[in-house]
C-alpha cells in the first residue's frame, strides 16, 4: 500500500474537470483515474485500478518517459503537443504534466489535457467571426444586387415576348441565371438574422432518425446507415428545426462524398465532459456534454481545405456554393455549441457538442424526450 493516497473528498472535484488525471505508483500501477481518464482509456476506474499504465499507453510514448523523468528529478515536468495513438484509444493530441505527490514522492500525478478542447474553442470563435463577416456581406448583397436583378429579369421577360425562337433560348438563359443568383442571395440572407433562436427541450434521436429516413428515401438511398446511440441521453436545449437543418446538411454532404457498394454513414450520440462556452446574446456560460457525430467512409477532405471548412465559399463540390457548412457553423454557434471535423481517407467525422436542457431553462427535464 502507498504511504499516502488522495482523500477523495476531492474525488468529486477531480471527476468534474475536463483533463484526465491519473495517480501512478512506483511500479507504474494505476491507483486513481478520474472520469475524463476513464473516457480516454475507455474503461471504468474500478477496472483500471491495479493495472499497469503501459497496458493502455504504447510503451514508446513520451508520456511514459515524462513519468520516469518526474520520478527521477522529483519535480514537475511538462510536454505539449504529444501525439497519443493506439488502436484502442484512437489518436489524440495532448499536453502532459507529471509531478510527484508531496506526501508520497513514489506516487506520480499525471495530467493529460486534450488539445482539441482549446482548439475547438479557437475554431468556434473563428467560425463566429466568419459568420459575422458574411452577415454584413449578405445584407449588402440583398440590397445592392437583388433590386437590379429584378430589373434584368423583367427586361428579359419583355424581350422574350417578341424574340425569335432562336433568341428565346438566350432570354431564358438570362432569366434562369438571374433566378440562380437570387436564390444564392436568399440563402445568404439566412446569415443576417441575429435574433436569439427559440429553444426548448429536443430529443436529438428523433432529429437523427427523421434525417436518416429522409436520406434513405432520397439522396442517400445508396448508403448503409448505422446507429450508435446512447438511449439515456437527456434532451438538447435547442431549436428542433435548426437541429434538423444542421444534421440534414451534414448527412447530405456525407452521402455525396461516399460512393460504392460499401458506402456507410454512422450516426453516434454520447454524453461527454465538454467545455463551457458563452451563449450568444447572454451573459451565461453553458456546459456542452451532448455529442452528436456523423461519420462516413468516403475519400476524406483534402488536407489544405480542412482548416477552412466552415468559412464561406469554401467547397469541394464542383457546383457547390460553399455556404452549407458556414450556415451549419452559424446555427451551431446560435445554440452556444461547438462543431469540429476530423478527416482522413475512409473516415471523416463531424462532431457537434450541444448544451443540455434543464428545468431552469424551460420546464421539467424528461430524459426520455417525451
Amino acid at each position: 500500500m502507498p504511504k499516502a493516497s488522495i482523500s477523495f473528498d476531492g474525488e468529486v472535484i477531480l471527476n468534474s474537470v475536463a483533463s484526465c488525471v491519473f495517480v501512478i505508483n512506483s511500479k507504474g500501477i494505476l491507483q486513481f483515474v478520474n472520469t475524463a481518464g476513464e473516457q480516454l482509456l475507455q474503461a471504468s476506474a474500478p477496472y483500471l485500478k491495479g493495472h499497469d499504465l503501459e497496458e493502455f499507453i504504447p510503451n514508446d510514448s513520451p508520456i511514459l518517459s515524462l513519468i520516469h523523468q518526474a520520478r527521477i528529478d522529483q519535480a514537475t515536468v511538462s510536454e505539449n503537443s504529444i501525439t497519443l495513438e493506439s488502436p484502442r484509444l484512437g489518436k489524440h493530441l495532448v499536453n502532459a504534466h507529471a509531478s510527484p505527490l508531496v506526501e508520497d514522492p513514489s506516487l506520480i500525478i499525471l495530467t493529460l489535457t486534450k488539445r482539441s478542447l482549446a482548439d475547438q474553442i479557437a475554431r468556434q470563435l473563428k467560425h463566429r467571426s466568419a459568420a459575422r463577416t458574411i452577415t454584413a456581406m449578405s445584407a449588402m448583397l440583398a440590397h445592392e444586387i437583388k433590386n437590379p436583378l429584378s430589373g434584368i429579369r423583367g427586361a428579359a421577360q419583355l424581350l422574350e415576348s417578341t424574340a425569335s425562337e432562336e433568341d428565346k433560348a438566350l432570354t431564358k438563359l438570362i432569366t434562369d441565371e438571374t433566378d440562380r443568383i437570387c436564390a444564392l442571395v436568399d440563402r445568404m440572407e439566412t446569415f443576417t438574422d441575429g435574433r436569439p433562436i427559440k429553444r426548448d427541450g429536443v430529443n436529438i434521436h428523433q432529429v437523427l432518425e427523421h434525417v436518416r429516413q429522409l436520406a434513405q428515401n432520397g439522396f442517400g438511398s445508396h448508403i448503409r446507415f448505422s446507429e450508435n446511440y446512447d438511449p439515456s441521453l437527456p434532451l438538447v436545449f435547442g431549436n428542433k428545426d435548426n437541429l434538423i437543418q444542421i444534421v440534414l446538411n451534414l448527412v447530405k454532404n456525407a452521402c455525396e462524398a461516399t460512393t460504392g457498394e460499401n458506402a456507410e454513414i454512422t450516426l453516434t450520440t454520447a454524453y461527454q465532459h465538454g467545455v463551457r462556452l458563452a451563449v450568444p446574446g447572454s451573459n451565461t456560460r453553458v456546459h456542452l456534454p451532448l455529442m452528436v457525430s456523423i461519420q462516413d467512409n468516403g475519400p476524406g477532405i483534402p488536407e489544405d481545405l480542412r482548416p477552412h471548412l466552415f468559412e464561406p465559399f469554401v467547397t469541394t463540390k464542383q457546383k457547390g456554393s460553399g455556404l452549407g457548412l458556414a450556415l451549419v457553423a452559424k446555427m451551431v454557434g446560435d445554440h452556444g455549441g461547438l462543431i469540429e471535423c476530423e478527416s482522413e481517407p475512409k473516415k471523416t467525422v463531424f462532431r457537434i457538442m450541444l448544451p443540455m436542457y434543464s428545468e431552469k431553462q424551460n420546464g421539467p427535464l424528461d430524459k426520455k424526450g417525451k
Side-chain angles (χ1 to χ4, degrees):
M1 293 290 292
K3 298 177 185 176
S5 61
I6 298 175
S7 170
F8 297 111
D9 276 349
E11 186 171 346
V12 173
I13 298 173
L14 291 174
N15 282 331
S16 299
V17 301
S19 297
C20 307
V21 180
F22 308 94
V23 178
I24 303 124
N25 71 10
S26 59
K27 296 181 179 179
I29 304 300
L30 288 163
Q31 303 293 294
F32 171 78
V33 182
N34 75 340
T35 302
E38 290 179 311
Q39 293 174 353
L40 178 68
L41 300 186
Q42 299 182 18
S44 67
Y47 172 80
L48 292 167
K49 290 176 186 177
H51 281 73
D52 195 317
L53 182 62
E54 291 191 32
E55 295 179 32
F56 307 95
I57 292 180
N59 55 21
D60 60 348
S61 172
I63 291 171
L64 299 178
S65 300
L66 206 68
I67 295 170
H68 178 71
Q69 185 179 345
R71 196 182 303 282
I72 296 299
D73 297 347
Q74 284 297 293
T76 299
V77 291
S78 303
E79 187 171 340
N80 294 332
S81 301
I82 295 175
T83 299
L84 177 60
E85 185 174 13
S86 75
R88 178 192 181 99
L89 305 181
K91 186 175 182 180
H92 304 276
L93 188 65
V94 300
N95 295 339
H97 306 271
S99 59
L101 188 66
V102 175
E103 291 82 357
D104 184 353
S106 69
L107 295 176
I108 298 295
I109 300 174
L110 173 68
T111 304
L112 301 179
T113 304
K114 292 183 183 180
R115 283 286 305 275
S116 59
L117 294 177
D119 294 343
Q120 286 166 25
I121 293 175
R123 284 195 296 268
Q124 186 68 17
L125 293 175
K126 184 178 180 182
H127 301 160
R128 291 182 182 176
S129 177
R132 285 193 296 270
T133 300
I134 198 171
T135 296
M137 185 169 57
S138 299
M140 180 273 294
L141 283 171
H143 182 266
E144 300 294 338
I145 294 181
K146 287 184 72 176
N147 289 340
L149 284 175
S150 297
I152 293 170
R153 194 183 194 285
Q157 287 176 322
L158 286 173
L159 288 173
E160 186 175 9
S161 63
T162 58
S164 64
E165 288 300 318
E166 185 178 348
D167 290 339
K168 281 182 179 180
L170 296 176
T171 58
K172 186 176 187 305
L173 177 62
I174 294 171
T175 55
D176 287 348
E177 286 301 292
T178 302
D179 289 343
R180 186 179 65 83
I181 297 170
C182 281
L184 176 60
V185 175
D186 286 340
R187 192 175 182 195
M188 291 181 68
E189 280 190 290
T190 306
F191 291 91
T192 66
D193 189 355
R195 295 171 298 177
I197 59 174
K198 183 178 180 181
R199 293 196 282 172
D200 204 340
V202 178
N203 185 326
I204 196 63
H205 296 126
Q206 291 179 358
V207 170
L208 291 168
E209 284 303 293
H210 176 74
V211 172
R212 183 187 63 79
Q213 289 177 14
L214 286 176
Q216 288 192 314
N217 291 318
F219 56 82
S221 58
H222 64 291
I223 302 290
R224 181 166 67 91
F225 282 82
S226 300
E227 295 87 29
N228 184 18
Y229 295 157
D230 178 352
S232 66
L233 210 64
L235 300 179
V236 170
F237 185 44
N239 179 285
K240 186 173 182 179
D241 290 341
N242 282 11
L243 290 170
I244 288 173
Q245 185 61 44
I246 289 167
V247 176
L248 182 63
N249 196 307
L250 295 175
V251 168
K252 187 174 182 183
N253 285 351
C255 288
E256 291 173 352
T258 311
T259 58
E261 294 181 0
N262 297 320
E264 182 177 9
I265 291 174
T266 302
L267 306 175
T268 302
T269 61
Y271 190 97
Q272 293 188 347
H273 286 272
V275 296
R276 291 188 178 274
L277 200 65
V279 179
S282 169
N283 293 324
T284 61
R285 300 176 71 83
V286 296
H287 185 214
L288 305 174
L290 309 184
M291 189 276 293
V292 178
S293 75
I294 295 95
Q295 177 178 323
D296 69 67
N297 62 349
I301 298 166
E303 188 173 354
D304 59 327
L305 291 184
R306 292 173 200 167
H308 310 288
L309 270 182
F310 300 101
E311 297 174 18
F313 308 116
V314 175
T315 181
T316 59
K317 303 176 187 176
Q318 290 184 351
K319 296 184 179 180
S321 65
L323 293 177
L325 288 178
L327 180 59
V328 164
K330 177 188 182 297
M331 289 193 290
V332 171
D334 289 343
H335 282 78
L338 291 171
I339 183 168
E340 65 170 353
C341 175
E342 294 179 10
S343 185
E344 59 186 59
K346 301 295 183 183
K347 184 182 179 182
T348 296
V349 186
F350 282 87
R351 294 188 186 89
I352 308 165
M353 277 150 284
L354 295 165
M356 183 176 66
Y357 177 74
S358 71
E359 294 181 6
K360 292 180 180 179
Q361 286 148 346
N362 192 6
L365 175 65
D366 179 355
K367 290 189 177 181
K368 294 184 179 179
K370 295 182 179 179

